[in-house]
Amino acid sequence: MRLKYDFADQKELDLIHEYSMKMLAENGVVFACEELVELFCSHGFRTDGQIVYMTEADVLKALKTCPSVFPWQGRSSSVTVGGGQTICAPSYGPIYLLEDGYYHKIDRKRYTDFAKLNASSKVLDVSNPNMLDFSFIPETYASDWAMATVLMMDTKPAIGMVDGRLSARNAISMTQEFYGIHDKPVLNSLISVASPSHFSTAMCEALIEYATAGQAVFITPSSMSGMTVPGSIASLLLSNNVETLSGVVAAQMIRPGTPVMYGIQSHGCDLRYGTPSIGSAEQVLIFSAAKAMGSYYDLPVRTGGSSCDAKQVDMQAGIESYATMNATIQSGADLMVHSLGSLESDSSVSFDKFIYDEEILQMVQRVNRGFEVSEETLLYDCFLEAGPGGQFLTLSDDNMEDSLCCYREDYLMTRIANHVSHGTWEESGRKMITDVTKEMWTKRLEEYQMPDITADQKEVLMKYVPGDLLFNEEA
């Protein structure tokens, strides 16, 4: 028995598609990059300055060359995008870190500590050099430093850098050379679209680099209802569908067969304050709709996260993050960024929430796994042995083993959520959730061990970042 997901009506999806094709043909999309606009022109697209217009035939042609499943290779492991698993990725771009109740800018130690938690997490499947935004490295080397640092510290597949042409090009070549892999996607990277319908110069240049190199991208608009798109959720989906599909067309035009994901990471907005409402009830609907839209085009989907608007690791954080994570996992989304630690509308993170989100994510995955009903799991022989009014703590060896085996399969053993009585809790020191999580993340940081790298791999990284900046933690 498991929860069934059936979110969108076919007629609703058809209507969004119909108006998306009208908008692409009549309104167009801005690509703020002369090279890319010229490429559109050479392929027969109608353009007007930086605006590119597309037809339904253009979209359908592009979709034909998009793989619905593709590999994403790391140093010691790989994942399959579109293979039925929700791939969980770290945060992306927060500028503050909440620690001991106070917000801090990101320094080198906090960045590398967060990288250690990501690398040692058993629920994260990939790594991300964009996990935190920082300014402690000179701008000339910042992008390459982040890419190199994560390649050193984490062996999982990586998201790439996209801060313009050189940032993207260096991330691709560095990772390929570091892994010694040149014939598979080793990076999957965000191509962000500003609503309404605007690809920045940096995103256009990154898209050209990644598609040309045969690397994967997830095209992802991030709108705010009532501000960057009109006020309805339906209009948000219309705008996002146009934006994502136009990026798909561009990627396939550059290189047919480019691995591409359909992304929506848009948000509600509280117009009373002009701020995102990422942890709202409407966010659950948006994340659910994103998967339905991507599936309509047979594309793997990026959406969701441990999204919340809370400022502390409190009740609001827990409720909102469970709701948004559950919507993501239940929908069957293929990639979830911001999986752990998110606070303040994804602009901040917390070590404590990172640890608790790991357990929340395991709970969500457990709920959506369901449970088996079979002759074996009904455990009928246990009832016969115990009899009416009996108990099940002292069964015979075989029946006890069967009962405990099913118990271990069906029940998640949490480490943070407290299931004891208040008396036992008081006797144990009255620890709050954040007391427990701090003990856990402190221990994780102390026990982290840097993966071994070869002399050749070290030399690769030093082609892009000076050794004293890369290996000297005081730099």
Side-chain angles (χ1 to χ4, degrees), residues 126-370:
V126 297
S127 61
N128 186 10
N130 308 277
M131 60 187 157
L132 298 169
D133 198 5
F134 60 86
S135 59
F136 55 81
I137 296 292
E139 187 176 354
T140 304
Y141 297 111
S143 177
D144 292 343
W145 179 88
M147 191 76 246
T149 297
V150 167
L151 288 177
M152 281 195 304
M153 297 184 69
D154 199 332
T155 62
K156 296 189 284 286
I159 292 172
M161 305 301 294
V162 291
D163 302 319
R165 186 184 310 279
L166 184 60
S167 169
R169 182 177 296 169
N170 285 356
I172 295 166
S173 58
M174 184 194 305
T175 306
Q176 289 176 328
E177 293 168 21
F178 187 82
Y179 291 166
I181 298 173
H182 297 267
D183 60 346
K184 299 176 184 176
V186 294
L187 293 175
N188 190 1
S189 301
L190 168 67
I191 302 299
S192 181
V193 195
S195 297
S197 302
H198 186 282
F199 286 78
S200 70
T201 302
M203 289 297 109
C204 290
E205 291 177 350
L207 178 58
I208 291 170
E209 293 297 323
Y210 278 93
T212 300
Q215 298 301 303
V217 292
F218 45 100
I219 314 291
T220 309
S222 184
S223 312
M224 291 176 63
S225 287
M227 295 186 70
T228 63
V229 293
S232 69
I233 297 176
S235 66
L236 179 150
L237 294 175
L238 170 60
S239 181
N240 287 181
N241 197 45
V242 166
E243 292 149 1
T244 301
L245 290 178
S246 62
V248 171
V249 171
Q252 300 308 307
M253 176 188 66
I254 296 165
R255 181 185 177 277
T258 295
V260 61
M261 300 187 73
Y262 183 105
I264 291 179
Q265 197 67 19
S266 293
H267 315 298
C269 178
D270 192 327
L271 292 177
R272 295 173 297 178
Y273 311 108
T275 57
S277 51
I278 290 181
S280 66
E282 293 76 24
Q283 196 63 52
V284 170
L285 299 174
I286 292 169
F287 288 162
S288 298
K291 174 59 179 177
M293 291 302 308
S295 297
Y296 183 85
Y297 298 107
D298 196 26
L299 292 172
V301 173
R302 175 265 164 125
T303 195
S306 62
S307 301
C308 74
D309 303 305
K311 310 305 181 286
Q312 296 287 323
V313 184
D314 56 15
M315 184 180 293
Q316 179 184 354
I319 291 170
E320 292 179 351
S321 291
Y322 184 93
T324 52
M325 273 200 274
N326 188 60
T328 309
I329 302 297
Q330 187 177 16
S331 76
D334 301 279
L335 174 63
M336 178 172 71
V337 185
H338 301 291
S339 297
L340 306 174
S342 176
L343 285 169
E344 198 188 7
S345 310
D346 293 340
S347 66
S348 300
V349 287
S350 156
F351 292 137
D352 292 305
K353 188 166 183 290
F354 181 102
I355 296 297
Y356 201 16
D357 279 345
E358 287 186 321
E359 188 159 288
I360 293 175
L361 178 54
Q362 290 174 317
M363 292 170 67
V364 168
Q365 291 170 332
R366 175 65 197 94
V367 168
N368 285 277
R369 177 165 61 86

Side-chain angles (χ1 to χ4, degrees), residues 2-20:
R2 60 181 301 173
L3 297 168
K4 303 295 184 183
Y5 172 79
D6 184 15
F7 184 76
D9 183 89
Q10 184 68 29
K11 290 182 179 179
E12 295 171 326
L13 297 173
D14 288 341
L15 187 62
I16 293 173
H17 173 79
E18 176 188 343
Y19 274 84
S20 297

